[in-house]
Amino acid sequence: MEILMSILAGTLFAAGVYLLLQKQLLKIILGTGLLSHGAHLFILTMGKLNRGAPPILEKGIKTYTDPLPQALILTSIVISFGVTSFLLVLAYRTYQSNKTDMMDQLRGTDDE
């Protein structure tokens, strides 16, 4: 299961980097989203989730689930949602003022 999750996290990273290298602003924003999802999955995979075990130590419990990776992922999800929201609003305002979302045209270095 961990190998499959690692492969999926790597695939999300690869797709995110590919989208980050595109010329359209919306694809770049989707790439940042995929990168953050890949990071969430990577943290979950490295945290070695134990199913069925309680997250709190009590008397008589031999195994427990470490709640730290889950807390880190929850915090990261909230931060990535805020960043994605900000980038979408920024892209919308950029498109309104410039009538394009192509990075070459926004920079003024249109090669066409």
Side-chain angles (χ1 to χ4, degrees), residues 6-87:
S6 298
I7 291 171
L8 183 59
T11 304
L12 285 172
F13 277 121
V17 169
Y18 176 76
L19 287 174
L20 278 176
L21 297 174
Q22 297 301 308
K23 294 182 179 182
Q24 292 177 332
L25 201 54
L26 187 60
K27 288 182 180 180
I28 294 171
I29 294 169
L30 290 175
T32 60
L34 285 180
L35 273 177
S36 66
H37 287 311
H40 302 155
L41 191 58
F42 180 70
I43 293 170
L44 183 66
T45 304
M46 293 300 111
K48 295 183 181 178
L49 180 65
N50 296 328
R51 293 182 178 199
I56 300 172
L57 285 176
E58 294 178 0
K59 292 181 181 177
I61 294 179
K62 303 284 186 205
T63 61
Y64 69 98
T65 300
D66 187 14
L68 183 63
Q70 296 167 8
L72 287 174
I73 292 169
L74 184 60
T75 304
S76 178
I77 288 170
V78 171
I79 291 170
S80 66
F81 176 72
V83 168
T84 304
S85 301
F86 174 72
L87 289 175

